[in-house]
Amino acid sequence: MPHVIIYTDGGAAPNPGLGGWAAVLYSPEHDKKLEIYGAEPNTTNNRMELLAAIKALKALKFSCEVDLHTDSSYLHNAFNKGWLKNWQKNNWRTSTGGQVLNQDLWQELIKLTRTHKIKWHWVKGHADDEINNRCDELVQIAREEFI
């Protein structure tokens, strides 16, 4: 199975507002890098974080072993702390009984995780991670190009 390293980021300003998403995909095997990004009006930070992961995984042409890096605790914890499993078990309700937001994107992500073997990694945003910072720049470029 090919190995791919992915970094994702998303944001909206104001929140909700004009949003951007971005991903950097790297194949160590082929020493190739791909940068993808886009924007959407009237959205939220969390939707853009999820969309970045979806778009990155959809860009893969084969089933891959993926190391996916995100600065979104929302995205990371949903997979690594079992939030998604609990939400599904509770008919898409949170631990406090509220409706889980962004269900459409979560369901799309769940389908994509069946195609790939994914390890989710959290990185500190706006810090010293060069690739995460590049994703943040691409989010801003996406938003600027949209205007």
Side-chain angles (χ1 to χ4, degrees), residues 17-35:
L18 176 58
W21 61 267
V24 175
L25 297 82
Y26 176 70
S27 167
E29 182 180 343
H30 299 103
D31 194 29
K32 288 190 178 180
K33 183 171 77 169
L34 173 66
E35 296 181 342

Side-chain angles (χ1 to χ4, degrees), residues 14-66:
N15 185 30
L18 176 58
W21 61 267
V24 175
L25 297 82
Y26 176 70
S27 167
E29 182 180 343
H30 299 103
D31 194 29
K32 288 190 178 180
K33 183 171 77 169
L34 173 66
E35 296 181 342
I36 58 175
Y37 59 89
E40 289 193 358
N42 196 31
T43 190
T44 65
N45 289 336
N46 285 340
R47 286 192 69 79
M48 292 296 91
E49 294 282 5
L50 296 174
L51 192 57
I54 289 167
K55 295 288 191 176
L57 293 170
K58 281 186 168 185
L60 301 175
K61 294 180 177 144
F62 308 100
S63 291
C64 295
E65 186 175 304
V66 177

Side-chain angles (χ1 to χ4, degrees), residues 34-124:
L34 173 66
E35 296 181 342
I36 58 175
Y37 59 89
E40 289 193 358
N42 196 31
T43 190
T44 65
N45 289 336
N46 285 340
R47 286 192 69 79
M48 292 296 91
E49 294 282 5
L50 296 174
L51 192 57
I54 289 167
K55 295 288 191 176
L57 293 170
K58 281 186 168 185
L60 301 175
K61 294 180 177 144
F62 308 100
S63 291
C64 295
E65 186 175 304
V66 177
D67 281 296
L68 196 147
H69 301 260
T70 177
D71 61 9
S72 168
S73 294
Y74 179 60
L75 176 57
H76 177 265
N77 291 344
F79 286 96
N80 282 7
K81 293 193 175 182
W83 294 0
L84 265 175
K85 288 180 183 174
N86 289 335
W87 293 338
Q88 291 174 84
K89 185 174 69 177
N90 295 327
N91 199 27
W92 291 98
R93 295 275 175 202
T94 65
S95 60
T96 59
Q99 189 74 22
V100 172
L101 299 177
N102 306 311
Q103 242 182 88
D104 57 332
L105 297 179
W106 285 122
Q107 290 174 347
E108 193 167 355
L109 255 178
I110 290 167
K111 287 179 191 170
L112 289 166
T113 61
R114 293 181 187 133
T115 305
H116 307 286
K117 183 180 176 186
I118 304 170
K119 289 182 188 171
W120 299 89
H121 305 275
W122 182 82
V123 295
K124 185 175 181 179

